[in-house]
């Protein structure tokens, strides 16, 4: 390894994507319990755009190295590291100290309150990495997509009362979280419904991921009624709620009695004076409204096992090369929201954009 390596940083709490710049920095010192990883792929999340644009509602470190999700290869393991060795393929744990049980704070989330993974090499504690088994057929970008999106969807469907075959799962929109949840739910034998703003995206989703039913929420603003109709009045047993304040009322109207709404995203705004009576609506359905904070190491390991055993390839829409222009194009592409699934950055070879 040379003494200098490339790292991207946002100069302060971001205000625009243009603020993202690359630097050459010296390699940090390695402690005997730590592992140096050569990064091969990074998966972007909506959070990374929100952090760069300064709209993320949680604390962000000054001059942060953005992004949380990486897949890489162990370059060097400290003398006290037991479970990993040089050459192992690994992914990062989003909240570096969330090992099991409920996550108790956001303060150790990569690429926000602490430095993230948009860099050639990164140093992690041993417990902050999860090994990808040798038999896994997934690409580096697909593996990186497990870190936030993968574990979040696993937490939504298995972190409380586990999903059963035959139940209905509703996912809102066609971003990374929603399409990954669709893939898991399908593999688990669920009835699946996807909403989107775009017929073109829905056509692609139908062809590539084969949900049971799709709804264009722009053309059908009463999409909650369509969910109830399609399920014969039963409603959705699980809702992967990526919209937030602007969609939660409709989600509560179309959730099944006793169903689970996983509150994950904040994509759809709602003026404070128009916010619904959440308590009344949840009570009327006997529903669980459960906030999701990504997931812990145990859940990430479960998700890795599930995807490997079922040969699930997380939905990578497009990969960009790790270069000044490639990184900027990846962020812009993600911000334009034309993607279906995940947008990734690949460090290992020059890619011709699809
Ligand atoms: N709580 C957590 O632990 C956690 C973890 C991961 C992500 N998140 C959050 O979950 C949300 C989704 O993340 P992501 O990475 O999947 O984002 P993403 O890939 O950028 O997906 C965004 C997609 O959501 C859809 N969308 C946008 N506005 C919508 C609206 N008003 N109603 C319904 N759908 C809408 C759009 O799809 P269409 O064009 O098809 O409509 C859009 O392409 C973000 O808010 C993110 O911060 C939270």
């Amino acid at each position: 390894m040379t003494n200098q390596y490339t790292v991207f940083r946002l100069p302060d709490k971001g205000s625009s994507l243009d603020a993202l710049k690359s630097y050459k920095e010296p390699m940090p010192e390695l402690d005997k319990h730590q592992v140096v990883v050569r990064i091969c792929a990074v998966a972007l999340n909506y959070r990374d755009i929100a952090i760069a644009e300064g709209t993320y509602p949680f604390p962000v470190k000054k001059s942060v190295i953005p992004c949380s999700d990486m897949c890489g290869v162990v370059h060097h393991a400290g003398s006290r590291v037991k479970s990993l060795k040089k050459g192992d393929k690994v992914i990062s744990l989003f909240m570096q100290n969330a090992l099991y049980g409920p996550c108790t704070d956001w303060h150790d989330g990569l690429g926000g309150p602490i430095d993230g993974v948009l860099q050639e090499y990164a140093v992690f504690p041993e417990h902050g990495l999860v090994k990808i088994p040798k038999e896994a057929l997934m690409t580096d970008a697909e593996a990186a997509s497990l870190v936030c999106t993968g574990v979040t969807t696993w937490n939504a469907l298995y972190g409380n009362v586990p999903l059963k075959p035959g139940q209905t799962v509703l996912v809102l929109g066609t971003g990374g979280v929603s399409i990954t949840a669709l893939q898991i739910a399908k593999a688990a034998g669920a009835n699946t419904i996807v909403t989107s703003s775009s017929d073109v995206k829905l056509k692609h989703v139908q062809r590539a991921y084969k949900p049971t039913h799709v709804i264009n929420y722009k053309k059908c603003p009463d999409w909650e009624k369509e969910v109830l109709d399609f399920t014969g009045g039963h409603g959705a047993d699980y809702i992967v709620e990526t919209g937030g304040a602007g969609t939660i009322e409709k989600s509560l109207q179309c959730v099944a009695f006793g169903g689970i709404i996983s509150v994950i995203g904040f994509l759809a705004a709602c003026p404070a004076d128009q916010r619904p009576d959440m308590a009344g609506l949840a009570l009327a359905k006997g529903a669980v409204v459960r906030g999701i904070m990504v997931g812990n190491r145990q859940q990430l390991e479960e998700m890795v096992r599930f995807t490997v055993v079922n040969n699930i390839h997380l939905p990578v829409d497009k990969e960009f090369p790790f270069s000044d222009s490639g990184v900027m194009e990846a962020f812009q592409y993600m911000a334009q929201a034309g993607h279906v699934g995940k947008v990734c950055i690949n460090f290992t070879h020059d890619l011709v954009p699809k």
Side-chain angles (χ1 to χ4, degrees):
M1 192 191 322
T2 60
N3 287 335
Q4 297 268 303
Y5 74 119
T6 303
V7 41
F8 281 79
R9 288 187 186 273
L10 287 163
D12 196 347
K13 187 171 180 183
S15 54
S16 88
L17 299 184
D18 297 337
L20 186 59
K21 295 270 181 284
S22 72
Y23 301 87
K24 289 284 181 199
E25 294 188 4
M27 278 301 295
E29 295 293 312
L30 179 69
D31 148 305
K32 57 192 176 197
H33 298 281
Q34 291 177 319
V35 179
V36 182
V37 175
R38 179 174 58 78
I39 296 181
C40 301
V42 162
L44 298 186
N45 293 295
Y46 180 80
R47 169 183 182 261
D48 303 320
I49 308 302
I51 287 175
E53 291 181 337
T55 57
Y56 188 60
F58 299 103
V60 176
K61 162 183 187 286
K62 277 194 177 180
S63 194
V64 71
I65 301 174
C67 300
S68 50
D69 303 9
M70 74 88 205
C71 171
V73 173
V74 173
H75 184 80
H76 184 76
S79 59
R80 290 290 177 87
V81 171
K82 299 277 181 240
S83 62
L84 294 170
K85 59 178 190 321
K86 189 174 168 72
D88 284 344
K89 190 185 264 202
V90 288
I91 56 175
S92 43
L93 177 62
F94 185 96
M95 272 177 282
Q96 286 278 286
N97 296 306
L99 302 184
Y100 57 87
C103 298
T104 49
D105 66 44
W106 293 103
H107 290 108
D108 52 4
L110 292 168
I114 64 172
D115 277 335
V117 297
L118 197 56
Q119 50 181 331
E120 282 178 291
Y121 292 89
V123 176
F124 298 88
E126 182 178 10
H127 65 258
L129 294 166
V130 167
K131 198 162 151 180
I132 297 293
K134 282 212 163 26
E135 65 271 24
L137 298 175
M138 62 187 83
T139 65
D140 294 339
E142 290 164 358
S145 302
L146 290 163
V147 173
C148 175
T149 296
V151 78
T152 298
T153 56
W154 185 260
N155 191 357
L157 300 177
Y158 290 98
N160 193 266
V161 180
L163 171 69
K164 295 191 191 85
Q167 288 188 306
T168 296
V169 176
L170 167 66
V171 304
L172 305 186
T174 57
V177 169
S178 303
I179 298 301
T180 305
L182 164 65
Q183 287 182 304
I184 303 176
K186 263 193 74 78
N191 193 35
T192 48
I193 306 175
V194 182
T195 71
S196 176
S197 60
S198 150
D199 283 342
V200 175
K201 287 185 178 181
L202 285 176
K203 263 206 182 102
H204 171 64
V205 169
Q206 281 179 301
R207 208 173 40 246
Y209 303 105
K210 302 187 174 29
T212 324
H213 190 57
V214 299
I215 305 170
N216 183 320
Y217 63 82
K218 290 268 189 239
K219 286 186 176 166
C220 177
D222 293 336
W223 50 267
E224 75 287 6
K225 291 187 183 145
E226 170 116 8
V227 171
L228 286 168
D229 280 352
F230 181 71
T231 54
H234 177 83
D237 300 289
Y238 288 79
I239 302 183
V240 176
E241 233 304 347
T242 44
T247 49
I248 190 82
E249 181 167 14
K250 287 178 183 292
S251 290
L252 278 158
Q253 282 159 352
C254 68
V255 71
F257 283 91
I260 297 182
I261 299 178
S262 292
V263 180
I264 294 175
F266 49 93
L267 294 166
C270 178
D273 60 352
Q274 288 170 32
R275 298 231 166 127
D277 171 13
M278 292 270 300
L281 288 162
L283 177 61
K285 285 295 186 74
V288 176
V289 179
R290 177 172 178 256
I292 297 281
M293 290 170 74
V294 193
N296 58 41
R297 183 187 168 98
Q298 183 185 344
Q299 289 167 328
L300 182 58
E301 288 172 343
E302 288 168 2
M303 177 66 179
V304 168
R305 192 164 55 232
F306 185 83
T307 48
V308 171
V309 168
N310 291 288
N311 194 18
I312 291 172
H313 294 261
L314 262 71
V316 175
D317 176 293
K318 195 160 172 173
E319 293 179 57
F320 293 83
F322 180 73
S323 62
D324 285 348
S325 59
V327 165
M328 191 49 68
E329 281 170 31
F331 272 70
Q332 282 164 349
Y333 182 71
M334 177 94 184
Q336 284 155 7
H339 60 288
V340 169
K342 298 297 298 176
V343 178
C344 296
I345 295 166
N346 192 310
F347 291 49
T348 51
H349 35 93
D350 293 333
L351 292 162
V352 181
K354 277 195 241 168

